[in-house]
Amino acid sequence: RDATMACSPLVSAAWLSARLAAASVKGGAGGAISNVNVRDIESAVRVLDASWYLPTMKRNGREEYEERRIPTAAFFDIDETDDQSGLPHMLPSEKFFSSTMDRLGIRPCDHVVCYDGHGIFSAPRAWWLLRAFGHEKVSVLDGGLPAWLADGHTIETGEPTSFPANAASDSYAAKLQSELVCTLNQMRANIVTGRAQVVDARSAGRFAGTEPEPRAGLRSGHIPGSRSLPFGKVLNEGRMLPADQLRSAFESAGVDLGGRPLLLSCGSGVTASTLALGLAALGKSDVAVYDGSWSEWGQSTLDTPVETGPQV
């Protein structure tokens, strides 16, 4: 089952604030959202702070979360999701992801809203991970924490709200949705078949091979035949572009939105997820993220073909 359209991929700060307020009113307790109240709601809105930053940004997502957060948010560390690949924050096993959801007390029926402290940067990766494991109701907060603050909504400080872990009878059962994930072998095959369009979310310089890769041991360039669309071109001040501008951004990069399926790549699967989020907002569902991305394809020890130069 395609989970892409189970709910809106993007929600506003006003929408989220209203849902959290409704949960608190339904639960009572003088407007406070307590663990028991939220668990009593058949399908709760759960908030995940998925803030993650590049070393050059000199920010720490977990430290910022501990300092302040959207009320009831739990922290989701995308660097601690991978138990099997050896590459940066790749897809974990179903068992590992299920145990993470159980620890956070997130149930399959919950509507999960992901945000980050940059606007839209790392939250789409958490959104995509949840979708990739079959979670149907998951969205990204458009504009992230900056939008929440700009609108004057309440901030939680001090000890974070804690949720009880899922009981054994209510344990999370992740199921990988393979159609949302592209593997190394599938990308190799696509170079021969041309079944899908490939879009690279890295900077134009990294795509062309004129800028060095930030990770050691990687070649420079791009996957042959791919299109270049740096992820920042689908955003405006940390928010997703309106639909008409978003469509134009993809089309200007040579992407046929009504044509072949799309395979998305970047450095390590983070910013490709932003492109996936934009495509979901446009209603395009035949989209997969190449999980290994350039951290895998660009390895000097692999015989994967690499092109350099600007997009043809």
Side-chain angles (χ1 to χ4, degrees):
R1 181 179 176 181
D2 177 18
T4 306
M5 295 297 119
C7 65
S8 175
L10 288 158
V11 298
S12 68
W15 182 95
L16 179 58
S17 178
R19 295 312 182 279
L20 293 179
S24 105
V25 169
K26 186 170 183 177
I33 305 175
S34 72
N35 299 342
V36 174
N37 294 335
V38 173
R39 300 298 288 178
D40 284 344
I41 299 171
E42 182 178 343
S43 179
V45 171
R46 290 295 311 277
V47 186
L48 288 183
D49 183 336
S51 297
W52 174 88
Y53 303 104
L54 293 166
T56 54
M57 294 172 147
K58 301 186 185 304
R59 296 176 64 176
N60 185 295
R62 185 180 290 277
E63 289 179 0
E64 291 181 8
Y65 165 80
E66 291 173 351
E67 180 181 332
R68 63 178 185 174
R69 69 205 73 86
I70 292 175
T72 75
F75 187 72
F76 184 81
D77 190 339
I78 65 173
D79 272 336
E80 294 183 359
T81 59
D82 181 17
D83 64 333
Q84 55 187 5
S85 79
L87 294 169
H89 41 250
M90 295 294 101
L91 276 168
S93 63
E94 293 173 343
K95 181 179 179 180
F96 187 92
F97 190 81
S98 295
S99 68
T100 300
M101 294 297 101
D102 283 337
R103 176 174 52 81
L104 295 172
I106 290 176
R107 304 163 299 170
C109 64
D110 291 336
H111 185 168
V112 179
V113 177
C114 307
Y115 77 91
D116 63 62
H118 192 269
I120 291 181
F121 182 64
S122 55
R125 177 65 184 185
W127 166 84
W128 178 77
L129 279 168
L130 281 151
R131 291 179 61 246
F133 282 112
H135 201 100
E136 294 195 356
K137 291 186 287 187
V138 56
S139 306
V140 168
L141 175 60
D142 197 16
L145 185 61
W148 182 268
L149 294 170
D151 287 356
H153 297 300
T154 302
I155 282 293
E156 181 180 274
T157 58
E159 190 70 20
T161 301
S162 62
F163 288 82
N166 292 338
S169 59
D170 198 25
S171 61
Y172 198 98
K175 180 64 176 176
L176 184 64
Q177 311 297 298
S178 58
E179 71 277 7
L180 299 182
V181 184
C182 175
T183 66
L184 173 65
N185 287 336
Q186 287 170 331
M187 187 63 83
R188 283 184 186 271
N190 189 71
I191 290 178
V192 177
T193 66
R195 183 193 69 84
Q197 306 169 80
V198 180
V199 186
D200 191 325
R202 295 175 302 153
S203 69
R206 289 173 67 188
F207 179 90
T210 57
E211 291 178 11
E213 284 297 313
R215 296 176 177 86
L218 297 180
R219 295 168 289 167
S220 295
H222 57 266
I223 297 169
S226 55
R227 318 301 294 178
S228 174
L229 180 57
F231 78 99
K233 290 192 174 183
V234 304
L235 304 173
N236 180 33
E237 297 183 349
R239 298 175 190 252
M240 192 65 68
L241 291 175
D244 57 341
Q245 296 177 34
L246 186 58
R247 188 173 292 106
S248 178
F250 280 99
E251 291 174 346
S252 296
V255 178
D256 181 3
L257 293 172
R260 293 171 294 155
L262 289 168
L263 304 179
L264 308 177
S265 183
C266 59
S268 61
V270 175
T271 57
S273 300
T274 296
L275 297 188
L277 178 66
L279 289 163
L282 292 175
K284 188 159 179 68
S285 59
D286 51 348
V287 177
V289 169
Y290 172 27
D291 196 35
S293 283
W294 202 254
S295 293
E296 182 174 52
W297 192 272
Q299 290 179 34
S300 57
T301 55
L302 292 182
D303 62 349
T304 46
V306 171
E307 288 181 348
T308 57
Q311 177 173 297
V312 178

